[in-house]
Amino acid sequence: MTAWPPGALAPQPGAAPLPRMLRAQTRAELTLVLRNGEQVLLSLVIPLGLLVLLVTVPFVDVDGQERADFFVPGVLALAVMSTAFTGQAIGVGFERQYGVLKRLGATPLPRAVLLAAKTLAVLAVEVLQVMLICLTGLLLGWNPSGSAAAVVALVLLGTVAFSGLGLLLGGTLRGLTTLAAANLVWFVLLVLGGILFPLAAFGAAEPALSLLPSAALSSGLREVLTAGELPLQPLATLAVWAVGSLAAASRLFRWE
Amino acid sequence: MTGAALEVLDLAKRYAGRAVVDCLSFSVRPGTVFALLGPNGAGKTTTVEICEGFRSADAGEVHVLGLPPRDRSLRSRVGVMPQSGGAYPGLRAREMLRLVASFAAHPLPPDELLDRLGLGEVADTAYRRLSGGQQQRLSLALAVVGRPELVFLDEPTAGLDPQARRATWELVEALRSDGVTVVLTTHLLDEAERLADDVVILDAGRVVAAGTVAELTASGAAGQLRFLAPAGLDLGALLADLPAGCSATESPAGHYLVEGAVDPRLLATVATWCADRGVLARDLRVQTRTLEDVFLELTGPEPRA
Ligand SMILES: Nc1ncnc2c1ncn2[C@@H]1O[C@H](COP(=O)(O)OP(=O)(O)OP(=O)(O)O)[C@@H](O)[C@H]1O
Ligand SMILES: [Mg+2]
């Protein structure tokens, strides 16, 4: 290679326009998610596989409801939880460990744009998930009703709440600890969140368990999509989780 | 531009009550290459990361391009190469460089930068599959791609092979000729000697020497002249011919050492003196102090924690 031509490296500092940064960072975040086998497994393969299994194999009793009507909302909640919580937690945990967040912190990319890009990537994956789950559900005899606006509100609020929890976990623990903790919490929220079987199965613990974010999201979605009711209590529960987790994350988050 | 590109005044940083940087002051002239030199654990990374705004100081002042280190406007004016890490393991080299380039208003062309740093062939390899030296070079590219005024390079050549090291040196020299200020850390003395205009030698968080490379290698003990000749020459006669302040010794027999300000005149004097006695001086060698001598003298021969 020939020498650097004079002036080639002359300083010309400046930040790119925000939309360009947002586009580039969002594309990078999406590339990383789609390239990561475990993440695709967690976000797409597991929810879809679980949906087909739960609806077609009657080993869980759903109180005489149409099986698809019970499980599609639960699996939608699971999909949001997997992407917004587990995916974010593990991603951020390793990005901290690998010094990526630190390096980005030394570029003109504002933190708000970084967080916006992460959110957009999560939402893009969720759109894909929701489409595939709904399509599969319809093929399995799912018969939805209710208000689309309420569904969107629940999914958005659920995304914020789970992202907050994911950032809290990924922003405070080390990479491998985050991985273990995120998977454990994911499993607990899955089992105790009314996704695999109705919360009524837990008897006296039901009122307490219904306050879990996964339970609020799955029962809220079920209320809208089967009964067509406005899910006020689940919305309120998710709002509390969203505010609480984001407040905690913004206080405790460490970039390194 | 007026004033220093980087100004550090009485900087102090403690970890668990132990002073890791203590009373550190230096300033970097715009458009020069400045090296922080020191053994492992001397406090180089700590100092640099305080200047980059990643860590906070316990005492002292730092002005980066006249601003406090955490001033947001510095983000586009300053490039940073951390001692390790700093890229998404799953992104390819080209993708990572393009990503960071897209944050800058007038970035360097990413592909050209990759080629010049010898990364053209691994441009489509994921970061985590790059060799250590390739990761290191990508990290350097990430630091300069935004066309900053000032770059911090923390051990830019650690783990590089000779070709890659040369490419890095050429980049640093080209940055300087284009007016970019470079602050680098190293424990490679030849690197500081070759690249740096000014050097600060740190040991246990304190400055043990500071100045230009020429000043550092010229101060203190001066040069040495060694030669082989028949044993038993009359050194008293030689000393009489030499300027004051020189010494001459023979040890072991036939190995002569003249210490003093070694200049062409001294060399000529010794050669003439030998010629006058019909003696052939063989293997005549002049040794001036290298930065390595200064470094070892100041920081001692023991490895650091
Ligand atoms: N976060 C920290 N907590 C506690 N001690 C620290 C921390 N960071 C650095 N130190 C200590 O401060 C001292 C200086 O570390 P630093 O990384 O600045 O050295 P360095 O000169 O960069 O060394 P090297 O050449 O090995 O990179 C070391 O003794 C190190 O153990
Ligand atoms: Mg270091």
Side-chain angles (χ1 to χ4, degrees):
Chain A
M1 198 84 214
T2 51
W4 287 90
L9 300 167
Q12 214 175 331
L18 293 182
R20 200 210 296 172
M21 295 197 211
L22 182 62
R23 221 179 312 127
Q25 186 63 31
T26 307
R27 190 185 315 132
E29 301 273 353
L30 262 179
T31 308
L32 287 163
V33 172
L34 298 177
R35 210 173 264 172
N36 182 335
E38 290 118 65
Q39 185 109 1
V40 171
L41 187 73
L42 195 71
S43 297
L44 290 173
V45 180
I46 291 181
L48 283 174
L50 216 50
L51 178 62
V52 173
L53 199 71
L54 289 167
V55 174
T56 53
V57 186
F59 54 68
V60 178
D61 180 28
V62 293
D63 297 335
Q65 296 182 55
E66 184 60 45
R67 300 190 67 79
D69 289 353
F70 180 83
F71 286 117
V72 170
V75 168
L76 284 173
L78 169 68
V80 170
M81 177 168 88
S82 301
T83 304
F85 170 71
T86 321
Q88 290 272 72
I90 295 173
V92 167
F94 278 108
E95 282 163 23
R96 277 174 56 236
Q97 175 154 337
Y98 292 135
V100 180
L101 293 185
K102 189 169 159 185
R103 146 67 39 74
L104 293 179
T107 70
L109 179 75
R111 281 178 189 185
V113 176
L114 175 64
L115 291 181
K118 286 189 177 297
T119 310
L120 285 179
V122 166
L123 290 176
V125 173
E126 285 178 356
V127 167
L128 189 67
Q129 290 174 304
V130 168
M131 285 192 328
L132 287 173
I133 290 168
C134 289
L135 200 69
T136 311
L138 291 172
L139 290 176
L140 294 171
W142 177 45
N143 186 15
S145 60
S147 122
V151 172
V152 171
L154 277 165
V155 167
L156 284 181
L157 214 48
T159 301
V160 177
F162 280 120
S163 292
L165 290 171
L167 294 176
L168 181 61
L169 202 65
T172 50
L173 303 178
R174 295 270 86 184
L176 275 176
T177 323
T178 306
L179 185 71
N183 282 320
L184 185 70
V185 172
W186 178 85
F187 187 70
V188 169
L189 289 176
L190 171 67
V191 173
L192 302 182
I195 292 173
L196 291 181
F197 29 82
L199 279 185
F202 295 100
E206 185 184 346
L209 291 180
S210 71
L211 296 176
L212 289 176
S214 52
L217 184 55
S218 64
S219 68
L221 288 170
R222 210 166 281 138
E223 278 175 37
V224 190
L225 291 167
T226 42
E229 290 162 17
L230 201 61
L232 289 178
Q233 205 218 322
L235 279 172
T237 307
L238 287 175
V240 171
W241 278 104
V243 172
S245 64
L246 280 184
S250 65
R251 279 178 63 91
L252 301 174
F253 194 90
R254 289 197 307 261
W255 295 82
E256 278 181 56
Chain B
M1 195 175 142
T2 58
L6 174 65
E7 181 99 61
V8 172
L9 264 178
D10 294 329
L11 187 68
K13 178 77 184 173
R14 310 179 74 80
Y15 283 117
R18 188 167 64 95
V20 161
V21 173
D22 201 15
C23 257
L24 177 60
S25 298
F26 60 87
S27 97
V28 180
R29 295 172 287 142
T32 61
V33 175
F34 178 89
L36 265 180
L37 196 65
N40 290 144
K44 303 181 296 294
T45 298
T46 304
T47 304
V48 166
E49 293 209 343
I50 290 171
C51 298
E52 292 163 352
F54 288 135
R55 307 190 200 181
S56 46
D58 291 332
E61 275 179 54
V62 176
H63 301 284
V64 182
L65 301 170
L67 297 164
R70 297 214 165 127
D71 193 288
R72 273 211 53 93
S73 69
L74 289 175
R75 300 262 213 100
S76 56
R77 299 173 64 192
V78 173
V80 168
M81 172 179 179
Q83 187 164 357
S84 65
Y88 288 108
L91 283 191
R92 299 173 181 138
R94 191 200 312 274
E95 290 171 338
M96 187 68 211
L97 188 57
R98 285 198 175 153
L99 174 65
V100 173
S102 69
F103 301 153
H106 314 282
L108 297 174
D111 290 335
E112 186 186 336
L113 192 53
L114 287 174
D115 280 342
R116 285 186 180 277
L117 288 172
L119 294 173
E121 295 194 353
V122 292
D124 292 312
T125 302
Y127 177 79
R128 69 164 174 279
R129 298 194 201 290
L130 296 178
S131 76
Q134 291 164 344
Q135 292 184 343
Q136 191 78 344
R137 276 176 277 159
L138 179 64
S139 184
L140 176 66
L142 293 171
V144 302
V145 73
R147 304 187 67 163
E149 291 165 51
L150 168 65
V151 287
F152 290 103
L153 310 176
D154 198 353
E155 297 199 19
T157 58
L160 294 190
D161 64 29
Q163 285 85 353
R165 209 165 143 212
R166 182 161 303 276
T168 301
W169 285 356
E170 280 167 10
L171 176 58
V172 169
E173 282 163 351
L175 285 166
R176 171 176 44 200
S177 16
D178 281 343
V180 179
T181 311
V182 180
V183 175
L184 57 86
T185 75
T186 180
H187 21 221
L188 299 176
L189 299 132
D190 57 335
E191 180 161 289
E193 207 156 6
R194 154 136 188 206
L195 289 180
D197 299 295
D198 295 289
V199 177
V200 158
I201 302 182
L202 271 186
D203 189 28
R206 289 175 162 275
V207 177
V208 290
T212 64
V213 173
E215 283 165 2
L216 288 180
T217 52
S219 64
Q224 298 181 330
L225 181 72
R226 291 175 188 277
F227 59 94
L228 302 178
L233 295 178
D234 179 8
L235 290 174
L238 173 58
L239 271 181
D241 287 355
L242 291 174
C246 290
S247 68
T249 49
E250 179 186 358
S251 166
H255 290 70
Y256 294 89
L257 168 64
V258 176
E259 285 182 293
V262 176
D263 56 12
R265 185 181 307 275
L266 183 100
L267 193 61
T269 309
V270 172
T272 312
W273 182 80
C274 289
D276 288 349
R277 278 154 189 78
V279 163
L280 176 64
R282 288 172 298 119
D283 204 8
L284 192 123
R285 276 178 300 149
V286 172
Q287 285 179 333
T288 50
R289 263 176 20 136
T290 63
L291 209 42
E292 180 154 358
D293 301 324
V294 180
F295 186 80
L296 289 174
E297 251 165 55
L298 291 169
T299 61
E302 299 297 320
R304 297 302 147 137

